[in-house]
Amino acid sequence: MPCTVIVGGFFGDEGKGKIVAYVSTRDRPAIVARAGVGTNAGHSFMLEGVPVKLRQVPSGFPYKDARLLIGPGVLVDPTVFFSEVEKTKVKGRIGVDRQCAIIERKHIDRDKSDAHLSSEVGTTGSGTGPCNSDRALRVTKLARYLPELKDYLADVSKEVNGALDRKQRVIVEGTQGTFLSLFHGTYPYCTSKDVCASAACSDVGIGPKRVDSVLIVFKSFVTRVGTGELPGELGEEETKRRGWTEYGTVTGRLRRAAPFNFDLARRAVMLNGATEIAVTKLDVVFPECKDVKSNKGISKEAFDFIKKVEDNTKVPVTLVGTGADISSIVDLKEKKSR
Ligand code: IMP
Ligand code: MG
């Protein structure tokens, strides 16, 4: 599949980072391009026992031959960007689109001091909402005007479309989750733009006909940080009892949790035109599946759950996450094609 778009199916934190890292290592793409809002997204996974947390650098960085790009739709905070470039050692193969809008201190201050944003919506405080609002007013700075980004500037849509013309593989990394979309989510408890697959294409500058597969990521249970409805929400005690307690990558906030939601999953598949599904953290709901790497290790109960996801959505589950490390995965697609 030359062009795959990877998106979140619930409220973010489905484990997209790990899936992008795994698929990038497996499929050896020429380009991994990050789409989505900006530094409000934290993609985290374990790489050879070391935790990785990324808010700007594409999660496909473990595949060393990939060109890493940040699409023009994405907001860039230079402080976060440079710190991650240093940590991941990707200087020389990462590019920022000339048209990326820049998050400044004033955007972060507004995000944190505005009562509507910080208390009512419960934002991540990363400045993305105020920056997108300034962008709509056409008063933000763009990457091309920042001398410190000079060596990183790229024409992302030209590179991505060029790679696809040459039949090279491209992975587009979406962020957040379907129901945090400004258009399709739980407004006003949502992020500051659309985050579905078609928006991810627009973020990096490819037309809808260039996409071959849309891989939607669902966690085996649902979580959300911040405010807004969460159908079937469990109390803090029950969440803890089930071992589903998680904390936000960007904010450290306790995530609210609920059981897997088939109605939301069906709607997310529709909104994204999903063609395949990754189910992550199967081991958290079915501990007997911890770190298994073959479908033989998946218990009957867990397989019944996967089957139920497929039956409800009419889309095949091709990947199953069974632990934090990128190697803790069952690749059902690989097995089927052999
Ligand atoms: P903002 O995107 O920082 O403006 O936050 C708006 C809402 O989206 C808040 O409820 C955040 O917690 C949520 N949100 C934004 N990005 C993410 C993410 O990457 N994962 C989970 N929640 C997010
Ligand atoms: Mg996250």
Side-chain angles (χ1 to χ4, degrees):
M1 288 291 187
C3 186
T4 299
V5 177
I6 300 179
V7 290
F10 288 140
F11 298 94
D13 308 318
E14 299 91 354
K16 289 176 293 298
K18 175 196 157 139
I19 296 298
V20 173
Y22 173 79
V23 174
S24 302
T25 317
R26 181 193 68 187
D27 293 351
R28 303 163 175 265
I31 293 174
V32 184
R34 184 146 168 158
V37 184
T39 46
N40 50 351
H43 285 183
S44 55
F45 53 94
M46 294 288 279
L47 183 62
E48 290 156 6
V50 181
V52 181
K53 288 185 185 187
L54 300 170
R55 296 163 63 190
Q56 299 258 254
V57 168
S59 298
F61 92 91
Y63 174 57
K64 297 203 164 45
D65 289 338
R67 168 93 163 129
L68 306 171
L69 295 171
I70 299 179
V74 180
L75 305 175
V76 170
D77 180 333
T79 311
V80 179
F81 173 78
F82 285 117
S83 123
E84 289 184 8
V85 166
E86 191 167 327
K87 269 189 222 143
T88 52
K89 302 186 178 61
V90 293
K91 189 170 183 198
R93 64 178 175 118
I94 188 164
V96 174
D97 194 275
R98 297 163 49 77
Q99 297 266 104
C100 288
I102 301 296
I103 299 173
E104 294 178 74
R105 187 71 237 175
K106 63 181 180 191
H107 297 127
I108 296 172
D109 291 343
R110 251 157 73 197
D111 209 355
K112 289 183 173 162
S113 61
D114 183 287
H116 172 68
L117 292 176
S118 65
S119 308
E120 176 72 10
V121 180
T123 72
T124 60
S126 50
T128 47
C131 185
N132 265 335
S133 127
D134 274 359
R135 191 175 202 180
L137 296 173
R138 280 137 295 167
V139 294
T140 48
K141 285 184 184 152
L142 294 185
R144 66 171 184 258
Y145 300 119
L146 262 62
E148 70 262 41
L149 284 174
K150 196 164 80 23
D151 294 343
Y152 296 87
L153 295 182
D155 183 340
V156 170
S157 52
K158 196 171 171 194
E159 284 198 46
V160 170
N161 282 284
L164 293 174
D165 289 343
R166 293 188 296 275
K167 310 265 183 271
Q168 292 177 314
R169 281 179 204 257
V170 171
I171 292 170
V172 177
E173 174 179 0
T175 66
Q176 281 80 34
T178 301
F179 299 103
L180 289 178
S181 163
L182 180 63
F183 299 165
H184 306 290
T186 51
Y187 187 94
Y189 309 107
C190 60
T191 191
S192 53
K193 73 176 206 191
D194 184 23
V195 290
C196 295
S198 33
C201 294
S202 163
D203 286 342
V204 302
I206 52 172
K209 289 185 77 173
R210 301 230 74 165
V211 175
D212 303 278
S213 64
V214 176
L215 172 56
I216 192 163
V217 185
F218 293 120
K219 192 156 62 183
S220 300
F221 52 105
V222 186
T223 58
R224 87 175 286 179
V225 282
T227 47
E229 66 188 78
L230 177 58
E233 181 169 2
L234 303 170
E236 220 176 293
E237 273 308 304
E238 179 59 17
T239 303
K240 200 169 160 191
R241 196 190 63 78
R242 295 186 186 206
W244 295 1
T245 305
E246 291 183 352
Y247 295 91
T249 305
V250 175
T251 57
R253 287 181 295 183
L254 182 69
R255 291 179 184 155
R256 300 152 57 203
F260 192 94
N261 189 312
F262 293 94
D263 294 330
L264 288 182
R266 267 194 305 275
R267 189 166 174 83
V269 160
M270 173 187 81
L271 288 167
N272 290 283
T275 59
E276 49 182 311
I277 293 173
V279 171
T280 59
K281 299 210 174 183
L282 190 73
D283 56 301
V284 176
V285 177
F286 303 96
E288 70 279 10
C289 301
K290 178 100 188 122
D291 294 323
V292 305
K293 295 180 173 75
S294 137
N295 54 358
K296 288 188 197 75
I298 299 178
S299 63
K300 165 144 190 345
E301 226 190 331
F303 246 128
D304 287 347
F305 166 65
I306 292 167
K307 183 82 176 47
K308 198 170 166 192
V309 174
E310 292 186 327
D311 288 346
N312 268 273
T313 56
K314 309 278 180 267
V315 172
V317 173
T318 56
L319 289 173
V320 179
T322 57
D325 201 87
I326 64 166
S327 64
S328 290
I329 208 155
V330 179
D331 192 331
L332 297 165
K333 197 175 177 181
E334 219 176 29
K335 295 271 165 354
K336 275 176 197 158
S337 62
R338 267 181 197 159

